[in-house]
Amino acid sequence: MPAPDDQADLRSTPGWFPEPRDFVRVAGPDAISYVQGQLSQDVEALAVGASARSFVLQPAGKVDAWVRVTRTADDEVVLDLDGGFGEAVVARLRRFLLRTKADVDALDWSCIAVRGPGASGVAAPDDTLTVDAGWPGVEGIDLLGPSVPPPADLPEVGADDYERLRIRSGVPRMGAELTDRTIPAEAGRWAIDTSVSFTKGCFTGQELVARIDSRGGNVPRQLRGLVLPGADAPPADAAVVVDGDEVGTVTSVARTVALAYIGRRITPPAAAEVRFGERAVPATLVDLPME
């Protein structure tokens, strides 16, 4: 799927983007044991300097947040997540501290996202965390810290180019694919495999996640990709129709590609229409990540 002439394709050409991220530090004698019980990931198994994705879940198993957790010391972790949701995570983690010897605070950090061939070889200053982005189908790292300079030898790409890559890779975003109504398994097998430990023991929201996984991950809807003609791009919340039946809803769009939650009875690839207002745009429903 080549990019239009006026768009950068970060799968074939490297570049960087100042991705809006929020940062939360949990530190103190009980910090690791505390987040071990609050996050779906096995934080205790992370070596200092290692990172992994994780869900922060409601007791009923739906999503409060999707974060990346980096162990920065024996008694400290830094969580980063989509911009605009850090304050809610601070409040959520503070709510259950009780007599725990740990502090939860927002950090004034920034993120430079590097994607494309050779991204993993980009050097960073000593005071910057370099973490693997882990997006399916593309090489990438994220540079995290209080003041992160962009790579001098790579071009900056636009928000549309970066969003297009995110969608093609099938990476969910808070507020779009992930809300407080989302069940983690709906976001796809990749999100579960990278974000959930089924061997670590108990964590908040574990029961629903484990029950669904034991039943083969079957949920009423799944995150899928849509390939669009490029003109009249639909808005989020547009309806996806297959064989005359409404089967899902668009969550994110970047011109020629989109993400949508689709009923599980529809198996990609499939011809579809995306309907919004009086318009109907042809589309092809595909698996993620997109080829």
Side-chain angles (χ1 to χ4, degrees), residues 47-253:
V48 174
S51 300
R53 302 277 180 174
S54 182
F55 287 106
V56 183
L57 299 174
Q58 304 167 19
K62 294 187 178 181
V63 175
D64 270 339
W66 188 48
V67 306
R68 177 170 46 199
V69 52
T70 302
R71 191 162 184 175
T72 48
D74 288 338
D75 59 355
E76 179 185 89
V77 296
V78 171
L79 313 180
D80 68 283
L81 68 158
D82 293 315
F85 295 90
E87 185 176 324
V89 168
V90 169
R92 160 69 170 76
L93 292 179
R94 285 178 176 173
R95 188 180 312 141
F96 298 106
L97 275 175
L98 300 176
R99 289 176 291 276
T100 304
K101 295 179 181 178
D103 295 317
V104 179
D105 299 291
L107 285 179
D108 187 15
W109 280 18
S110 60
C111 171
I112 294 294
V114 185
R115 301 290 185 271
S120 59
V122 170
D126 292 339
D127 61 349
T128 299
L129 292 178
T130 301
V131 296
D132 184 12
W135 287 15
V138 62
E139 186 177 349
I141 60 169
D142 293 327
L143 308 177
L144 315 177
S147 181
V148 184
D153 55 347
L154 292 180
E156 179 179 2
V157 300
D160 287 346
D161 297 326
Y162 190 73
E163 178 72 348
R164 184 171 182 272
L165 180 69
R166 180 187 73 83
I167 289 172
R168 288 180 64 185
S169 299
V171 176
R173 178 169 57 82
M174 288 293 300
E177 289 72 45
L178 300 174
T179 73
D180 60 5
R181 300 181 301 277
T182 307
I183 296 170
E186 295 174 333
R189 191 70 237 177
W190 171 77
I192 293 294
D193 289 344
T194 58
S195 307
V196 179
S197 169
F198 291 98
T199 60
K200 62 171 280 186
C202 295
F203 59 89
T204 300
Q206 176 196 25
E207 183 178 355
L208 178 66
V209 176
R211 184 169 69 248
I212 291 174
D213 190 73
S214 70
R215 297 174 179 175
N218 290 325
V219 285
R221 59 178 192 164
Q222 287 278 352
L223 191 63
R224 303 294 191 190
L226 287 168
V227 180
L228 304 164
D232 295 326
D237 294 331
V240 181
V241 176
V242 174
D243 294 332
D245 294 328
E246 185 173 328
V247 297
T249 305
V250 172
T251 54
S252 294
V253 182

